[in-house]
Amino acid sequence: MKVFVTAGTGVVGTALVSELRSRDVEVSVLTRSAAKAEALPEGVRGVVGDLLDYKLLLEEFAAADAVFLNLPVGEAETYQGLLAVDAARRSGVGHLVYVSTQDLENLFTPPHCGVKVAVEKALKASGVPYTILRRSELMQNDIGAKDMLLMGVYGIPLGEIGVSRVDVRDVAEAAAVVLTTPGHEGRTYTVTGPEPVTGQFVTDTWKRVLGVEIAYVGGDLESCSLILNQMMPQHLARDLWLMYEHYDHNGYVAAAEDIEAVTKLLGRPPRSFTEFAEETAQAWKAA
C-alpha cells in the first residue's frame, strides 16, 4: 500500500509515518525542507514542495493509494485545503483522510478552525472516499512549555470547564488504522483523550510529576493576548486567542459517544494526560 502524507515532518506527521512503517506501508512525505526530506527514516520517500503546487499534488495523489491531509495553520490554509480536495478528486484518490478540529459546529470563529468547515464541506461534496479525524488539542503542546514549567509557571489557557486533550500518538494510530483497514469511508471520528482537563489540573499534574512548585497563570486572557502578540504576527495571535477564549467560556469537551468510538477504533482507551505527563517527566529527568 502507498500512502502520501502531507506535513509529514510535523508533530502529527512524524508520529504517523512511524505507525505506517510499522505496518509495512510504502510512505511518501511532503515537506518544504530539503534537509528534512533527507533526514526522513530509511524507506520513507521525501517529496520537496508544498500544498500550493497543484501540479505536484496531481502527480503525487495519482501515484498513491491513499492521502493523509493535514494542513499547516496559516494564511494559505484555505487555498491549500480546497485545492488539495480538488486535486484528490481529479487524480482519483482512493481514500483521503483529513485532519480537522473537534467540535467544529461550535468552534468555528478562529480562522484556523473556520477554514476546516469549508474543507470538510468540499470533501464531502467531492465524491472522494474520505474519513475525517476531528482531533482535540495535543498534549504534546506542553513540551514547548518545558522551560516555563521548570521555572515554575504554566500559562496555556485551558479554562475551568476543561479540554479533552489528546496524545499525538493516539491521533497517529487512529489515522494509521483508518488508512490501512476497511470500513471507515464516509466516517467522521473525534479523536480525543479520555477526559477533559482544566488548566489547574494540568498545572497540578506537572507539579506532582516534576516535583517543582508551579503556578497556573493561564486564567488571565488579557495577558495571554499580550504574550501571543509578542510571539507571532498579530493576526495569528488573534486566531489562537479566539480559540483560548472558546476554551475559557465553553470548554472543549468530547461527548461520551466520541470517546467510545475512538476507544473502539484504537482497540484500547486513549492515553490520559496523567500518563503523558508522567512519561514525559521521566524522559526530561533522564535527559
Side-chain angles (χ1 to χ4, degrees):
M1 182 180 185
K2 298 179 180 180
V3 175
F4 185 75
V5 178
T6 73
T9 57
V11 176
V12 175
T14 298
L16 174 59
V17 168
S18 178
E19 283 286 342
L20 291 174
R21 291 299 295 155
S22 72
R23 291 166 166 78
D24 295 323
V25 173
E26 189 174 326
V27 182
S28 295
V29 165
L30 180 66
T31 176
R32 290 173 292 183
S33 167
K36 289 183 178 180
E38 293 178 1
L40 287 166
E42 184 177 354
V44 177
R45 173 175 166 263
V47 178
V48 179
D50 62 52
L51 286 164
L52 295 177
D53 188 337
Y54 186 75
K55 182 179 178 181
L56 176 66
L57 296 187
L58 288 174
E59 293 173 352
E60 293 296 335
F61 285 7
D65 298 308
V67 170
F68 178 76
L69 181 61
N70 186 23
L71 303 174
V73 173
E75 300 90 332
E77 187 174 353
T78 302
Y79 274 90
Q80 292 172 332
L82 295 179
L83 289 176
V85 170
D86 182 68
R89 179 173 68 88
R90 297 181 189 277
S91 59
V93 165
H95 188 197
L96 190 147
V97 176
Y98 172 56
V99 180
S100 187
T101 298
Q102 175 188 317
D103 195 25
L104 200 57
E105 289 77 15
N106 296 305
L107 181 58
F108 52 81
T109 53
H112 79 278
C113 298
V115 62
K116 293 172 175 60
V117 176
V119 177
E120 281 197 12
K121 186 173 182 178
L123 182 56
K124 291 175 180 178
S126 69
V128 175
Y130 71 86
T131 306
I132 295 171
L133 300 179
R134 288 182 165 186
R135 72 163 178 85
S136 186
E137 176 175 301
L138 297 177
M139 298 175 185
Q140 276 71 16
N141 289 343
D142 281 3
I143 292 175
K146 176 183 177 182
D147 290 344
M148 293 299 292
L149 283 167
L150 296 178
M151 290 172 60
V153 175
Y154 183 78
I156 296 180
L158 299 177
E160 297 180 358
I161 299 172
V163 176
S164 297
R165 304 179 93 188
V166 64
D167 192 299
V168 71
R169 293 168 294 182
D170 290 341
V171 178
E173 186 174 342
V177 169
V178 301
L179 283 163
T180 60
T181 62
H184 305 289
E185 289 81 0
R187 297 284 305 272
T188 296
Y189 296 100
T190 295
V191 187
T192 177
E195 76 281 309
V197 294
T198 66
Q200 190 61 58
F201 175 85
V202 168
T203 302
D204 292 342
T205 301
W206 282 121
K207 177 180 176 180
R208 177 178 61 81
V209 299
L210 292 174
V212 297
E213 289 296 323
I214 302 174
Y216 178 57
V217 297
D220 185 349
L221 289 181
E222 183 175 346
S223 294
C224 172
S225 178
L226 294 173
I227 293 170
L228 289 172
N229 274 282
Q230 293 173 354
M231 297 172 60
M232 62 192 71
Q234 63 175 338
H235 63 286
L236 293 177
R238 188 63 178 181
D239 186 352
L240 290 182
W241 186 88
L242 287 168
M243 178 183 70
Y244 291 137
E245 182 187 45
H246 181 87
Y247 291 175
D248 186 71
H249 293 176
N250 306 288
Y252 200 48
V253 179
E257 55 265 30
D258 291 330
I259 299 172
E260 292 172 5
V262 74
T263 297
K264 182 177 180 180
L265 183 67
L266 295 172
R268 57 168 177 77
R271 294 174 174 89
S272 69
F273 181 79
T274 298
E275 291 174 293
F276 161 75
E278 290 175 344
E279 179 182 325
T280 302
Q282 290 177 358
W284 288 350
K285 291 174 181 178

